[in-house]
Amino acid sequence: MRLYTHPACLRHDPGTGHPESPARLRAVLEALDDPRFAQLDRVEAPRVTREQLLRVHEPAYVEYVYANAPQNGSLRLDPDTVMSPASLEAAERAAGAVCAAVDAVMGNETTRAFCAVRPPGHHATPNAAMGFCIFNGIAAGAAHALEAHGLERVAILDPDVHHGNGTQDIFRREPRVLYLSSHQMPLYPGTGARNERGVGNIVNVPLPPQSGSHEFRAAWDDTLFPALDDFRPQLLLVSAGFDAHRLDPLAQLQVEAEDYAWITRRLCELANRYAQGRVVSVLEGGYSLEALRECAAAHVAALL
Ligand SMILES: [Zn+2]
């Protein structure tokens, strides 16, 4: 199994006190720096290509980000999303990691991959940064699987506590991509109602605040995994946000690290059944350092 990361992802600095801090990725990498993860094949994440980005983002948006990325100081892309001088490279490496991981699993170089990168991506829409996200890496990875590898069915599983509005928006008319999300509602960004179905390729299960292990597992067992069974994906991509954990300061679900281990084991079984075991997971949210350490270790241990 591969672990994709890059030092640039640690240098992206949205500012003092911002919840999406470099300490998040440090916590994840520290948790994976343990003898039980010695067999991880550690790979430097490449930069995303312009072609890969333009499959999911509008040219004017991509040009705006490249033309205005700050050399010094900072640039605010939306009320929550700030670029520092290292941010463009971090965003390129974060999205590039997912595309490279897709190449690796499709080329049978490995079966599973985890991309320990930031900034996250699932709120980034075709034409805008949103919610700490600059480029939508998981969407770029899914589009890369369709266009560069000719896949016909790619599933994106998104257990991040926030709805992945950007990913949904990018694929809402794309029947080759199934988007599955459990998320707290009401909560940022406000999308993800059950009646948002795309062309039948989107399944949302909103959960009320204070929902815990039982409700989280029921959402996946009763609704989301059955939809995945019907779809029979050739590749599984995971928006691994660990902010549904009970310690997370930005949300109010009561999910435990063991629930992340559980969902990972279940999705690996489904990947083995339909997708020759192929799973590419990418870090999204998670704002408690303690929860990040615990959940990332549980997730990667289950992938292994
Ligand atoms: Zn989140």
Side-chain angles (χ1 to χ4, degrees):
M1 176 175 159
R2 291 224 176 137
L3 173 66
Y4 286 86
T5 189
H6 194 278
C9 296
L10 291 165
R11 294 195 294 267
H12 161 53
D13 178 13
T16 308
H18 196 288
E20 206 287 278
S21 70
R24 299 179 57 245
L25 181 55
R26 273 199 298 274
V28 168
L29 293 173
E30 276 165 21
L32 300 179
D33 186 16
D34 181 281
R36 67 186 162 130
F37 300 116
Q39 56 184 303
L40 286 174
D41 178 14
R42 287 149 206 272
V43 182
E44 188 163 278
R47 293 176 194 256
V48 70
T49 67
R50 207 61 77 98
E51 182 187 11
Q52 289 164 346
L53 281 181
L54 291 174
R55 291 182 184 128
V56 296
H57 292 296
E58 289 177 10
Y61 172 63
V62 173
E63 291 315 317
Y64 177 84
V65 172
Y66 275 84
N68 294 282
Q71 302 291 320
N72 46 58
S74 63
L75 172 72
R76 192 169 289 273
L77 293 173
D78 106 314
D80 304 313
T81 315
V82 180
M83 292 183 84
S84 66
S87 301
L88 178 60
E89 184 180 357
E92 291 177 306
R93 303 274 182 190
V98 189
C99 294
V102 167
D103 285 336
V105 300
M106 294 312 302
N108 296 317
E109 295 165 51
T110 187
T111 309
R112 319 249 208 249
F114 180 61
C115 303
V117 292
R118 57 183 284 279
H122 72 157
H123 296 305
T125 72
N127 59 11
M130 245 183 97
F132 318 159
C133 302
I134 299 171
F135 297 139
N136 195 319
I138 195 132
H144 187 62
L146 300 179
E147 306 309 328
H149 296 282
L151 293 192
E152 290 166 352
R153 295 181 310 282
V154 176
I156 299 175
L157 295 78
D158 187 340
D160 187 287
V161 80
H162 303 96
H163 180 241
N165 62 296
T167 309
Q168 172 172 301
D169 202 3
I170 288 165
F171 293 121
R172 69 200 158 93
R173 292 193 200 92
E174 176 48 85
R176 293 176 295 172
V177 174
L178 175 70
Y179 176 71
L180 304 171
S181 178
S182 63
H183 43 272
Q184 180 180 322
M185 182 175 271
L187 189 66
Y188 182 90
T191 52
R194 275 184 190 267
N195 64 5
E196 295 168 25
R197 294 300 317 275
V199 289
N201 65 322
I202 288 162
V203 186
N204 287 306
V205 180
L207 298 169
Q210 307 308 329
S211 298
S213 300
H214 177 76
E215 293 84 356
F216 177 78
R217 293 187 188 206
W220 286 91
D221 262 344
D222 298 347
T223 304
L224 297 166
F225 285 137
L228 192 136
D229 263 316
D230 290 343
F231 187 69
R232 306 174 67 85
Q234 296 160 296
L235 169 68
L236 275 67
L237 305 180
V238 184
S239 268
F242 300 122
D243 41 12
H245 191 277
R246 64 186 162 77
L247 292 177
D248 197 90
L250 300 190
Q252 291 80 39
L253 292 194
Q254 304 292 330
V255 168
E256 305 280 350
E258 177 48 35
D259 298 313
Y260 280 106
W262 172 85
I263 191 177
T264 309
R265 288 192 299 269
R266 293 279 284 114
L267 71 90
C268 285
E269 287 163 20
L270 292 160
N272 290 343
R273 191 174 310 156
Y274 300 119
Q276 297 170 41
R278 295 184 290 236
V279 178
V280 171
S281 175
V282 56
L283 180 66
E284 298 275 6
Y287 304 96
S288 155
L289 300 184
E290 186 183 338
L292 274 171
R293 276 185 212 103
E294 236 186 284
C295 295
H299 178 58
V300 173
L303 286 173
L304 277 169

